[in-house]
Amino acid sequence: QSAIERIAQRAACEQERDSVLIATWPAAALAGWLAGSENRIQQSVCEKLLAANVTGEQLLCLCKGDVSKLGLGALGMEVRLLSVIKKVRNNHFAALRAFFNAPPSCSSCSSCSSSSVAAASTIAVVAAPPPPAAAAAAADATERSSIPHDFKCPISLELMEQPMIAPDGFSYEEAEITTWLASHDTSPMTGEQMASEPLILNKSLRNAITAWKEEHLRRRR
C-alpha cells in the first residue's frame, strides 16, 4: 500500500479522500471527477484537459498561466477551474502535513517505523516545509476560504468593496470590471457579447459584505 493510499484512509470524508488520491489519478479519472456535481466544471473544459492529458498530479501544479494556455474561452470558466485547483491543492497538502506531523501509532514497532520513514522520503517536500512560510500560507488560505463565495469578485476572487452589476447580470468589483470592459465587449463569466450599458451599484450586496466584515472582525477579537 502506497503512502498516498495510507493517508487517504485517514480522510474524514469523501471530498478529503479525493483531495489526497487525486495525485494518483490518470487524465480520464481527473476529467470525470471535475465534471461531477461537486465541482461542476463544464464538459468542454474537461475535454480540453483530457486532450492535453493532464493528470491529477499535474493539476495540483497548474498555475494561472498554465490554465490560460488551455484556451478555455470565457474568463468565468478559467476562474472556476482555478478556484477548484486552489481548493483541492490546499486540502491535499493539508492532509499530507497532518499525516506526517501526527505521532506514530506504534513507535515500538520497527516495521511501522521503517514504513513511516519510507513514506516520508516519498513525499519529502511535504514533510519539512519552512515553518514561517507554511504558517503564513495556512493562515492566508484559512482567511480566504472563510469569505462567502458570493462576496468575491468573479475576476479577482477577492472580497468586493464596491460591487457593481454589469449588463450580463453578474456583480464584479468596480475596478476589475472597469478594467475588463476597457479592452473587451464580452462577459467575463459567459464569454458572450455584453450590451453597452452603465454599471449599477449593487447596494444590497455591498451592505451584506459590510455586515459580514464587521461580524468577521468582531469574532476575531
Side-chain angles (χ1 to χ4, degrees):
Q1 191 180 38
S2 69
I4 286 292
E5 290 172 334
R6 287 201 296 277
I7 297 171
Q9 286 182 341
R10 297 192 177 191
C13 60
E14 184 177 356
Q15 182 181 13
E16 184 178 323
R17 180 176 178 274
D18 287 345
S19 295
V20 174
L21 290 177
I22 191 172
T24 67
W25 291 349
L30 175 66
W33 177 76
L34 287 172
S37 59
E38 177 67 28
N39 301 300
R40 301 190 304 279
I41 297 298
Q42 291 188 13
Q43 187 62 36
S44 61
V45 175
C46 296
E47 289 174 355
K48 288 192 176 184
L49 288 168
L50 184 57
N53 199 32
V54 176
T55 65
E57 183 178 16
Q58 292 168 336
L59 185 82
L60 292 172
C61 301
L62 289 185
C63 64
K64 185 174 182 179
D66 298 323
V67 173
S68 296
K69 292 177 182 177
L70 292 171
L72 303 183
L75 180 63
M77 298 182 192
E78 187 173 312
V79 169
R80 175 62 186 165
L81 178 59
L82 286 170
S83 178
V84 170
I85 292 173
K86 181 178 180 180
K87 181 179 179 180
V88 72
R89 182 189 292 135
N90 288 341
N91 291 342
H92 178 82
F93 288 106
L96 266 59
R97 280 194 296 271
F99 178 83
F100 288 113
N101 290 335
S105 57
C106 50
S107 57
S108 61
C109 175
S110 58
S111 62
C112 288
S113 177
S114 60
S115 174
S116 296
V117 171
S121 62
T122 302
I123 320 174
V125 65
V126 180
D140 181 65
T142 301
E143 181 72 18
R144 289 174 181 274
S145 65
S146 67
I147 301 174
H149 178 73
D150 291 342
F151 292 177
K152 297 179 183 179
C153 172
I155 297 176
S156 66
L157 295 182
E158 299 290 343
L159 179 67
M160 289 187 281
E161 299 287 343
Q162 193 75 349
M164 306 296 289
I165 303 174
D168 62 357
F170 292 94
S171 291
Y172 307 87
E173 177 60 36
E174 183 176 24
E176 296 292 343
I177 188 61
T178 299
T179 299
W180 170 268
L181 292 175
S183 57
H184 301 79
D185 60 359
T186 55
S187 165
M189 293 298 290
T190 67
E192 298 178 357
Q193 195 80 16
M194 191 154 62
S196 179
E197 299 176 3
L199 303 175
I200 302 173
L201 175 63
N202 191 333
K203 294 182 179 179
S204 60
L205 179 56
R206 186 178 65 175
N207 291 339
I209 292 174
T210 299
W212 176 84
K213 286 170 64 178
E214 292 174 351
E215 177 65 16
H216 187 63
L217 289 173
R218 185 186 66 78
R219 290 180 179 179
R220 291 180 60 184
R221 291 171 184 164

